[in-house]
Amino acid sequence: TTSGSLDFGDTCPGDFSELELNVCNTGVSDLDVTSVVFNPACGEFSIVNNPFPATVSKDFCLPVTIRYTPTDFGVHSCTLEIQSNDPSNLTITLPVTGTAPPPIINVSGSLDFGEVCPGEQAEQDLDICNTGLCDLEVSSVAFNPPCVDFTIINNPFPAAVSHDFCLPVTIRYTPTGAG
């Protein structure tokens, strides 16, 4: 028998989570476990301490640590296969799942500068926020095409914006003419 859930829930790319699975012998004689493997092989999941092949005595369990290390966002799944000499269950298959949730960008603030006379300046702040669970990588904040009347004052990008965090960007408006 096995005990332990193999649903890792949320884990961000670059991080890892571990769960313990117990392979137990509830029979009356020794259980020979020949292998514990992912079939097919899964890049996001690995076995940290694979003590098998091994013999499990009756009323005893061997722990197996499973690691989830996502490299990209999305839902990942795999199948763990346990092979033994149990005549009723030569092979046990267990679903293994994990999710790497995407970051969510949220920009707040106003770029309505109102009326500003030529040669004078007005500034507005924008907050670049991440409302997702994993880091948001912002490569740049820029005007496209470039605009001589607007300047980014404190551009902290490129930068990673953590979960539930914002980085401010100040935009300065200095009109060169009326209109």
Side-chain angles (χ1 to χ4, degrees), residues 9-60:
D10 293 334
T11 303
C12 295
D15 291 337
F16 69 88
S17 296
E18 292 181 346
L19 293 174
E20 188 170 280
L21 171 72
N22 287 308
V23 178
C24 302
N25 181 358
T26 58
V28 294
S29 60
D30 287 347
L31 175 69
D32 292 323
V33 179
T34 54
S35 68
V36 176
V37 296
F38 290 102
N39 190 10
C42 303
E44 295 85 10
F45 301 97
S46 61
I47 301 170
V48 176
N49 63 331
N50 194 341
F52 301 103
T55 299
V56 182
S57 302
K58 70 176 195 156
D59 297 327
F60 189 74

Side-chain angles (χ1 to χ4, degrees), residues 39-119:
N39 190 10
C42 303
E44 295 85 10
F45 301 97
S46 61
I47 301 170
V48 176
N49 63 331
N50 194 341
F52 301 103
T55 299
V56 182
S57 302
K58 70 176 195 156
D59 297 327
F60 189 74
C61 297
L62 278 179
V64 179
T65 302
I66 310 296
R67 181 177 288 172
Y68 173 49
T69 311
T71 57
D72 58 354
F73 298 108
V75 176
H76 303 102
S77 61
C78 197
T79 301
L80 187 68
E81 192 173 272
I82 302 168
Q83 295 181 349
S84 72
N85 67 338
D86 180 343
S88 299
N89 293 301
L90 291 174
T91 302
I92 294 176
T93 58
L94 301 169
V96 182
T97 58
T99 302
I104 301 169
I105 190 168
N106 187 349
V107 179
S108 63
S110 172
L111 290 180
D112 182 355
F113 292 91
E115 294 182 9
V116 180
C117 294

Side-chain angles (χ1 to χ4, degrees), residues 113-123 147-151 172-179:
F113 292 91
E115 294 182 9
V116 180
C117 294
E120 292 183 4
Q121 295 179 348
E123 292 181 352
C147 193
V148 296
D149 292 340
F150 295 95
T151 308
R172 180 178 292 156
Y173 174 48
T174 310
T176 55

